[in-house]
């Protein structure tokens, strides 16, 4: 059902500075940028490697466009660092339904539009060992 | 130089419980277990997907064997959750030297034995956007 690590979401205060650091230190390049007004986030995707399900693994750099956004609140309470991890699935609707069937909390039903034209939902960290888990399908 | 996301390290208080959760919720299976006495950690590797550099991406579940170990201290201060992310490289010695040349802190020089017969070192989170970064080469 979950066929890859799709991305690691990293919260940062200054997106351009974070992009520059990841380029200079690691050689990772931005392949996609987007502002998601609904989530209050300015984001950049950096492709790291291809995966054997025909997709890829990315770093997703996230900076808030407003302090009261989810990423803004995360930065205020935890500081910069890993915000969430995302698993790729061929069918995020079926995956969300399966987790609901197991009695787990699924944050967005139905899944919402996310980075690079994908659709995604989240599992709550209190039920996932302290990890905010995203489930994502690229269309 | 860095060719894949090798693994995501997740700190947990009870390793067997965490293994069971990851199997039941996500279908991920343990492919390797080890106690690293030097690091004071009991760990399990769960293979998620293959990568296009001929290796794979894993989750690494980590529980402390003693409270004053690095993972024990992390759990005491931050609670369960993502502890570090690891990038795979064909030559961890060369990668470590390159980061040292750029004036960055490299925690173990030379790199130390790590999971599954690998050798690894770390970059400090204060210089990497709040992320503890491991560099790893599988031999």
């Amino acid at each position: 059902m979950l066929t890859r690590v799709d991305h690691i979401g990293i919260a940062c205060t200054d997106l351009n500075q974070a992009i520059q650091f990841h380029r200079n230190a690691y050689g990772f390049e931005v392949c996609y940028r987007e502002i998601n007004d609904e989530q209050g986030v300015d984001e950049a995707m950096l492709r790291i490697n291809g995966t054997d399900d025909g997709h890829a693994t990315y770093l997703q750099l996230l900076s808030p466009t407003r302090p009261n956004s989810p990423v803004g609140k995360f930065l205020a309470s935890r500081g910069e660092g890993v915000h969430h991890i995302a698993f790729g699935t061929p069918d995020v609707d079926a995956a969300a339904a399966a987790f609901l069937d197991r009695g787990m909390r699924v944050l967005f039903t139905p899944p919402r539009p996310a980075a690079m034209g994908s659709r995604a939902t989240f599992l709550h960290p209190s039920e996932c060992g302290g990890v905010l888990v995203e489930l994502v399908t690229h269309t």
Side-chain angles (χ1 to χ4, degrees), chain A:
Chain A
M1 184 173 68
L2 307 180
T3 58
R4 72 186 173 281
V5 172
D6 185 82
H7 64 267
I8 302 165
I10 297 174
C12 53
T13 50
D14 184 318
L15 185 59
N16 288 323
Q17 206 170 53
I19 289 170
Q20 195 175 352
F21 167 75
H22 283 79
R23 180 186 296 124
N24 293 346
Y26 308 129
F28 300 151
E29 296 288 347
V30 174
C31 62
Y32 182 83
R33 277 197 71 159
E34 180 182 300
I35 291 177
N36 184 325
D37 278 326
E38 188 187 355
Q39 292 295 309
V41 69
D42 190 3
E43 62 186 71
M45 300 294 279
L46 288 65
R47 189 182 185 281
I48 312 303
N49 58 263
T51 56
D52 61 2
D53 64 351
H55 291 272
T57 299
Y58 303 83
L59 294 191
Q60 180 183 45
L61 304 177
L62 304 157
S63 70
T65 59
R66 50 179 191 267
N68 64 344
S69 65
V71 173
K73 291 177 185 171
F74 178 92
L75 281 171
S77 67
R78 307 276 304 216
E80 293 188 317
V82 175
H83 176 263
H84 69 272
I85 67 176
F87 297 118
T89 172
D91 186 343
V92 67
D93 297 279
F99 284 105
L100 281 172
D101 278 349
R102 289 171 204 156
M104 291 177 68
R105 289 173 65 182
V106 177
L107 273 61
F108 305 139
T109 51
R112 293 185 182 181
M116 302 191 296
S118 64
R119 294 175 63 243
T121 190
F122 288 85
L123 308 176
H124 199 277
S126 66
E127 295 184 344
C128 301
V131 180
L132 176 61
V133 171
E134 182 175 352
L135 310 170
V136 60
T137 295
H138 290 284
T139 49

